[in-house]
Amino acid sequence: MALSSSTSFLSLLNTTDYSSSPLLKLPLLHFHSSSSSSSPHFPTRPPLIHHNHNQVATISHKWRTNVSFFPAFLKKGKDANTIKEELLEAIEPLDRGADATPEDQQRIDQIARKLEAVNPTKEPLKSSLLDGKWELIYTTSQSILQTQRPKFLRSVTNYQAINADTLRAQNMESRPFFNQVTADLTPLNARKVAVKFDTFKIAGFIPVKAPDTARGSLEITYLDEELRVSRGDKGNLFILKMVDPSYRVPA
């Protein structure tokens, strides 16, 4: 049983299905007057201006249009922090995704895509923000969520650590099984890696060599100092929060 539980955290980096494997934005109006410099003059009443009702309505409409331009411009897209708050509020009651309905999943995906559109880190694999230990707070991967098991047999917390400098990654489960797996990463571009798992550790200490088929890919679509969004090669969505930027993956 301990050996089969190792498959539950493979897809955090590798979303290949191992379910059959044993491991797995007013113009100003200016009035001008002129007079002869040699003639005395007195202040005169301003000329009466007769307004045409339709003209006034047109000017008023243009004024309202110009004024309303600014709020529309300022509201063009929410900033990343606002979207993150929206995303975290939507995720919070879903038990990392285990209690998500298809409608919940669609909503989370839509919010995640809005966040990805304002990604401040265009080349995450070259950023030190990637390094460290991350906690998985939402996923669509059923194998990681272990929804086929009773709740008391599901991992309470899942972590993923990545070190971009050494191109190493590690997935870790908390209780009840404490399984781990390490992997080598091969950059495919500035935000996507191929993943090759090498060693499982059952219960955190019993090493088992990963099969050659334990491969996949992961694209990092949003990254800042506290949140990361990734998508796997099987379409699964992964949202993680930083918990320890100093953590190093074992060589």
Side-chain angles (χ1 to χ4, degrees):
M1 179 174 70
L3 187 62
S4 63
S5 68
S6 62
T7 59
S8 63
F9 51 91
L10 271 177
S11 31
L12 186 52
L13 271 171
N14 176 17
T15 57
T16 301
D17 186 1
Y18 293 104
S19 58
S20 60
S21 166
L23 287 176
L24 319 178
K25 160 146 90 129
L26 279 169
L28 293 177
L29 300 180
H30 297 279
F31 294 92
H32 298 277
S33 63
S34 61
S35 61
S36 169
S37 60
S38 60
S39 302
H41 62 277
F42 299 92
T44 60
R45 293 178 61 188
L48 292 175
I49 300 175
H50 298 282
H51 296 288
N52 177 278
H53 178 74
N54 292 333
Q55 185 179 24
V56 170
T58 301
I59 292 173
S60 176
H61 173 73
K62 289 182 178 179
W63 168 243
R64 288 195 301 269
T65 300
N66 289 338
V67 169
S68 64
F69 171 86
F70 291 97
F73 174 78
L74 294 173
K75 292 178 182 178
K76 184 180 180 181
K78 298 178 182 178
D79 62 27
N81 287 333
T82 301
I83 300 172
K84 283 197 296 184
E85 288 176 7
E86 182 182 1
L87 182 61
L88 293 174
E89 286 178 3
I91 287 172
E92 197 275 333
L94 301 180
D95 188 18
R96 296 180 299 162
D99 293 339
T101 64
E103 290 77 17
D104 291 325
Q105 291 182 343
Q106 183 177 19
R107 181 186 176 206
I108 299 299
D109 188 80
Q110 290 173 345
I111 301 172
R113 290 184 185 279
K114 289 192 293 184
L115 189 61
E116 291 166 333
V118 293
N119 180 20
T121 311
K122 304 306 179 184
E123 298 185 325
L125 290 175
K126 297 180 181 180
S127 174
S128 61
L129 293 176
L130 183 61
D131 296 337
K133 186 177 182 179
W134 300 81
E135 179 184 342
L136 180 71
I137 58 174
Y138 176 84
T139 185
T140 54
S141 171
Q142 298 304 302
S143 63
I144 290 178
L145 294 171
Q146 305 168 4
T147 52
Q148 76 282 5
R149 300 179 183 178
K151 279 197 172 185
F152 72 93
L153 289 178
R154 301 176 191 175
S155 59
V156 175
T157 314
N158 291 78
Y159 300 99
Q160 182 183 83
I162 295 180
N163 291 137
D165 55 346
T166 60
L167 294 174
R168 291 286 288 168
Q170 179 184 24
N171 290 344
M172 296 158 277
E173 286 183 352
S174 66
R175 60 182 174 84
F177 298 110
F178 301 97
N179 293 316
Q180 300 178 21
V181 62
T182 51
D184 286 322
L185 308 178
T186 302
L188 300 177
N189 56 45
R191 61 187 228 169
K192 186 175 183 178
V193 292
V195 182
K196 172 63 175 71
F197 292 93
D198 49 34
T199 304
F200 293 97
K201 283 191 176 180
I202 309 305
F205 64 92
I206 302 172
V208 176
K209 183 178 175 59
D212 190 62
T213 55
R215 299 172 180 265
S217 66
L218 188 75
E219 183 173 14
I220 301 163
T221 55
Y222 180 89
L223 176 66
D224 64 21
E225 66 277 2
E226 57 188 10
L227 200 72
R228 171 160 62 91
V229 178
S230 300
R231 293 182 183 272
D233 59 331
K234 292 299 181 182
N236 283 312
L237 175 64
F238 306 92
I239 301 174
L240 306 94
K241 68 177 182 179
M242 172 58 72
V243 292
D244 184 2
S246 66
Y247 185 86
R248 300 294 298 176
V249 179

